[in-house]
Amino acid sequence: MSHRILLAAITALMITPVHAETITLRVLGQPSGSGLIAQKKEQPFFEKLAATTGLDIKIEYLPVDVAGIPDTDGLRVLKSGLFDIVSLRGPQVSRDEPAMLGLDLVGLNTSYASGRKHIDAFAPFVDERLQSRFNAKLLGVWPAGPQVIFCKPEVKSLADLKGLKVRVGDQSAANFVGKLGATGISMPFGEVQQSLARGVVDCAITGPASANSGGWPEATTTVLPVALQLAVNGYAINTASLKKLTPEQQAKLTAAIGELTTEIWAFSEELYEDAMRCNTGKTPCERGVSYKLTEATPSEADLKAVAAAVGGVSLPIWAKQCNAVAPNCEAVWRATVGSQLGL
């Protein structure tokens, strides 16, 4: 009888439900000084994620600059598993995965509406690349906003950039300003304001809201609002980290981040319009510091130069780089995005 009792006790222990331990997810966020998208949308979202989704998770959120990690290393961090979720800075991580640039070539996304279509079309290919090379799944893509040009010397058009040093966000932008006779220089966002003030660079490219947050108007005189790119960023999760969650939990997390990216698309557009007013001393200026920059009016030649950049500059150079690591890269881009443009 004692053996039967013992067996019954062991069996009962085996079928007693075990409560899963709370899963900790480390999130590497956007730089702390990069602007209101990180401050008002991203960080609050992750800090409240457990409560809003009901998931049994603990979030540890850390801005990339506070973590002391170069923003160019986002994909490497994901692959290593050092962080579970990374807020990828698209232009910066494109050095490790050129397909990221295909989402936002110079001249491709000159408006939010066109950007949404082009990004949605090519994002599945980028996701495939991240899964195969970096053990990471792409969960969402969003724009920081139209990238425009801030200059210390007064400029009236793109032609005035000739001979100047311009801080750029990625190789596509460097190629474009190079065709204009300027020198493209890459540097972290946090170093740009001082570099403008000291004359290390003459001009710099970013979104108006980020420029306002970074104090760029204090070191510049002019903004030329020619939308070169949308500065695409995204969220990706380490695949091993994702597998720690049940299918139901994965669906909740994916849906929540999808909602966040949708919110950011709308918020980004609001920020762009408000920041352009703030930077140039117009009202209402509701979310930034008011400055007195001169707003140059883009000429027809400027707009044509940007529109022609996709087929004439951005695509040929990028396609060669991307095909070198993914032989079908250009073919997929032309079938998904290029077909919308007649390229």
Side-chain angles (χ1 to χ4, degrees):
M1 179 68 74
S2 60
H3 288 298
R4 290 181 180 177
I5 293 173
L6 180 61
L7 182 63
I10 292 172
T11 303
L13 284 170
M14 291 174 65
I15 63 175
T16 299
V18 178
H19 292 289
E21 291 185 7
T22 299
I23 295 172
T24 298
L25 294 177
R26 301 192 73 209
V27 180
L28 189 66
Q30 292 286 308
S32 55
S34 61
L36 293 175
I37 290 176
Q39 296 168 20
K40 301 294 186 182
K41 294 295 179 182
E42 179 179 283
Q43 186 166 350
F45 167 83
F46 282 109
E47 290 176 345
K48 298 174 184 175
L49 183 58
T52 55
T53 60
L55 291 171
D56 188 12
I57 56 175
K58 177 186 176 185
I59 296 291
E60 295 179 357
Y61 178 91
L62 201 61
V64 64
D65 54 328
V66 176
I69 297 172
D71 56 10
T72 51
D73 288 353
L75 290 173
R76 300 178 195 186
V77 168
L78 267 178
K79 187 173 184 177
S80 71
L82 181 62
F83 282 79
D84 303 286
I85 297 173
V86 174
S87 183
L88 297 170
R89 290 171 67 73
Q92 286 77 11
V93 302
S94 65
R95 298 175 188 181
D96 284 337
E97 180 44 67
M100 289 289 296
L101 274 189
L103 296 167
D104 196 33
L105 297 173
V106 167
L108 177 62
N109 302 321
T110 54
S111 70
Y112 281 93
S114 64
R116 195 67 194 254
K117 289 193 300 181
H118 299 150
I119 289 165
D120 286 349
F122 197 60
F125 179 75
V126 175
D127 180 36
E128 288 176 17
R129 294 290 299 164
L130 298 194
Q131 290 194 48
S132 65
R133 296 190 66 219
F134 297 96
N135 302 325
K137 178 165 180 58
L138 189 65
L139 297 176
V141 179
W142 52 271
Q147 300 296 283
V148 298
I149 304 168
F150 295 82
C151 288
K152 189 172 184 178
E154 291 186 15
V155 297
K156 295 182 179 179
S157 69
L158 290 175
D160 292 337
L161 298 183
K162 185 175 182 179
L164 300 183
K165 293 168 291 186
V166 182
R167 181 265 186 177
V168 295
D170 62 28
Q171 191 57 45
S172 186
N175 295 336
F176 176 71
V177 299
K179 289 288 185 180
L180 299 172
T183 301
I185 297 174
S186 178
M187 69 173 59
F189 181 86
E191 297 177 13
V192 177
Q193 203 265 4
Q194 285 297 312
S195 295
L196 284 164
R198 295 172 181 167
V200 176
V201 292
D202 304 297
C203 303
I205 299 171
T206 195
S210 294
N212 192 283
S213 297
W216 289 18
E218 295 172 8
T220 53
T221 65
T222 310
V223 57
L224 179 61
V226 180
L228 303 179
Q229 295 166 287
L230 281 180
V232 169
N233 300 313
Y235 296 113
I237 186 168
N238 176 280
T239 49
S241 302
L242 186 62
K243 288 175 183 175
K244 292 178 184 177
L245 305 175
T246 66
E248 181 184 3
Q249 290 173 324
Q250 291 180 24
K252 282 186 177 181
L253 177 64
T254 301
I257 290 182
E259 290 173 7
L260 170 64
T261 56
T262 297
E263 281 187 27
I264 292 177
W265 272 89
F267 189 56
S268 173
E269 195 160 0
E270 292 174 19
L271 286 179
Y272 174 80
E273 293 169 357
D274 186 66
M276 279 299 297
R277 291 192 296 269
C278 291
N279 290 336
T280 54
K282 297 174 184 175
T283 55
C285 170
E286 299 173 340
R287 298 182 180 274
V289 178
S290 182
Y291 291 103
K292 295 288 186 182
L293 290 182
T294 298
E295 181 179 349
T297 303
S299 66
E300 279 298 317
D302 290 339
L303 300 177
K304 286 180 180 178
V306 173
V310 181
V313 182
S314 308
L315 177 59
I317 297 174
W318 167 76
K320 187 175 180 180
Q321 296 168 340
C322 197
N323 286 343
V325 295
N328 63 334
C329 184
E330 181 184 0
V332 173
W333 190 93
R334 287 186 181 276
T336 55
V337 181
S339 59
Q340 300 180 37
L341 305 169
L343 292 173

